[in-house]
Structures are given as structure tokens and as C-alpha cells.
Amino acid sequence: MLNVILCGAPGSGKGTQSQFIVEKYGVQHLSTGDVLRAEIASGSELGKKIDNIISKGNLVPDELMLGVIENYIASLPADCKGTIFDGYPRTVAQAESLTSLLEKYRMDAIMIDLLVDEQLLIQRLIDRGKVSGRADDNLNTIRHRLAVYHNQTEPVAHYYLHQGIYFPVNGNYAMPDVFIQIESIIDRETKR
Ligand code: AP5
């Protein structure tokens, strides 16, 4: 089974590379951002609360996210080839919860960290904001999302470094060239 925890700053290419990984390896894709946006689109009371958090560029509380992940893992089909965890975990507390859950279900994972220069991240998100309609793709919110990333999510890299499953990737290159690096890590690590 191939489980990839795909981390990186906003705009680093997590969603883009997840699609490439799904196509090549036939695994499932769990984007916590997509799950949260679907809840907002449903118009539920919970969705309204989430909208208020996401549109400001803040993180949704850990307890709520843990519920999403628990439900997801518990409902995986027996023949599942693995999962790309796109955008989870974003705090060390979330990483600890995920470790416990993966242990409970006897699942291994590797963590791939997409590293991209800040100016490039901002440019990508501003460009996407012209067409995406995402409430958080505007310059002020992008800057806040990046600050939240540095404060709350970057320590997650150290957590996985200590676990010995941390693999950085240079995400500044064109999409196919980023995927070549990811492929080589996955192919090497799954042969062990
Ligand atoms: P989420 O939807 O996960 O947003 P994000 O992390 O801000 O990431 P993005 O979707 O903006 O970027 P990406 O890295 O996926 O890059 P993409 O491939 O799209 O989360 C949204 C919000 O939900 C969070 O801010 C938070 O509030 C909440 N949330 C989600 N998970 C949570 C959690 N676990 N805990 C708490 N809260 C949570 O690419 C971006 C653009 O760049 C695209 O236009 C793409 O075409 C382009 N691009 C990608 N790669 C390249 C490349 N190599 N070269 C050129 N362009 C590229």
C-alpha cells in the first residue's frame, strides 16, 4: 500500500502533483481543502463556520479535521492501493493524530514536502485567483496563509524528519519535472 503525506505551502503544487500520483499509482486522493470547500458549498451551518475561517486564511480546528480523517480512513475499501493525504496534517498535533491512526490500521506512509520560493508561490496563487473564484486567493489572504504556514505547518516537516520518512522535493520546476522527483522517491521507497 502506498500512503503519501503531501505537504507544502499554499500554491506549492499539492493538488497538481496529487493528480499525477493518482494517475500513475491508482491511489485515492484526500484533499482536506476540497472536503472543507464541499461542506461550504452544501450551505450547512458547519459550512458557514468553515467559510468564515478559510476565507480569512486561518486553519480549521484540529478536532474537526481529525473527525474528517478518522471517517475517511475507517471507510477505505479493503482493496485500496493507498492514499495521497493532500493538505493534512498542517499542525504537529494533526501529525501525531495521523501517526496514531495509521498505526491503528497498520499502514505505513512517507512524507513528501514540496519546497517552492515564496515569490513564486504568491505569483501562482494570484494567477489562479483570476479564475478560481476561491475567496482565499487574494494578495492579503495569500500573505496571511503563508504566515500561518510558516508558524503552524513548517514544524510538521521536523516531526517527519525525526520519524525518518521525510523527503523534500524542489517544487520550483515545471509540473512534469516536479513529478519526476516525486516518482523517483516513491519508486525507491516502495521497493524497500
Ligand atoms: P487547501 O485547499 O489545501 O489550500 P492550500 O494548502 O492553500 O493549497 P492550494 O490549493 O492553494 O495550493 P496547492 O499546494 O494544492 O497547489 P495547486 O496544485 O493548487 O486548503 C485551503 C484551506 O482549507 C486552508 O487555508 C485551511 O483554511 C483549510 N484547511 C485545509 N486543510 C486543513 C487542515 N489539515 N487543517 C486545518 N485547516 C485546513 O497549485 C496552485 C497553482 O499553481 C495552480 O494554478 C497550479 O496550476 C499552479 N502550479 C502548480 N504547480 C506548478 C508548477 N510546478 N509550475 C507552475 N505552476 C504550477
Side-chain angles (χ1 to χ4, degrees):
M1 187 182 259
L2 169 66
N3 294 302
V4 177
I5 298 163
L6 194 54
C7 290
S12 59
K14 301 182 294 295
T16 304
Q17 296 300 325
S18 291
Q19 290 311 318
F20 291 145
I21 299 170
V22 167
E23 275 165 34
K24 170 148 187 193
Y25 298 97
V27 292
Q28 314 234 23
H29 175 208
L30 174 68
S31 158
T32 45
D34 286 349
V35 171
L36 296 170
R37 281 186 288 276
E39 188 65 43
I40 294 170
S42 77
S44 69
E45 280 309 309
L46 177 62
K48 285 176 191 151
K49 285 184 191 151
I50 292 171
D51 191 18
N52 195 31
I53 297 170
I54 291 191
S55 59
K56 293 192 175 92
N58 291 318
L59 295 184
V60 170
D62 289 341
E63 314 80 62
L64 197 154
M65 296 314 304
L66 179 58
V68 169
I69 297 294
E70 276 176 330
N71 289 341
Y72 172 80
I73 294 184
S75 64
L76 280 174
D79 61 351
C80 172
K81 291 182 175 171
T83 294
I84 312 300
F85 293 91
D86 162 4
Y88 188 95
R90 284 188 203 234
T91 63
V92 172
Q94 290 184 11
E96 289 167 347
S97 301
L98 183 59
T99 299
S100 304
L101 268 175
L102 293 175
E103 278 171 7
K104 179 176 166 189
Y105 289 93
R106 297 176 196 283
M107 290 157 70
D108 291 327
I110 56 172
M111 191 276 224
I112 293 180
D113 197 6
L114 294 174
L115 305 175
V116 177
D117 294 346
E118 192 123 331
Q119 272 314 311
L120 201 50
L121 293 170
I122 293 171
Q123 195 55 54
R124 284 183 189 175
L125 293 174
I126 286 175
D127 288 347
R128 186 180 64 186
K130 291 173 189 158
V131 288
S132 71
R134 271 178 60 163
D136 56 354
D137 277 349
N138 60 79
L139 188 55
N140 280 344
T141 314
I142 290 167
R143 287 197 194 285
H144 184 66
R145 285 159 69 196
L146 288 169
V148 168
Y149 168 77
H150 291 308
N151 289 332
Q152 299 190 55
T153 307
E154 264 179 357
V156 170
H158 299 281
Y159 175 86
Y160 286 111
L161 190 61
H162 286 298
Q163 291 213 340
I165 56 168
Y166 174 79
F167 300 94
V169 158
N170 186 335
N172 290 303
Y173 298 116
M175 298 174 199
D177 297 326
V178 176
F179 184 59
I180 286 170
Q181 299 173 67
I182 292 176
E183 258 181 324
S184 88
I185 292 168
I186 291 177
D187 292 345
R188 188 184 66 227
E189 293 306 310
T190 49
K191 275 196 194 114
R192 282 171 189 265

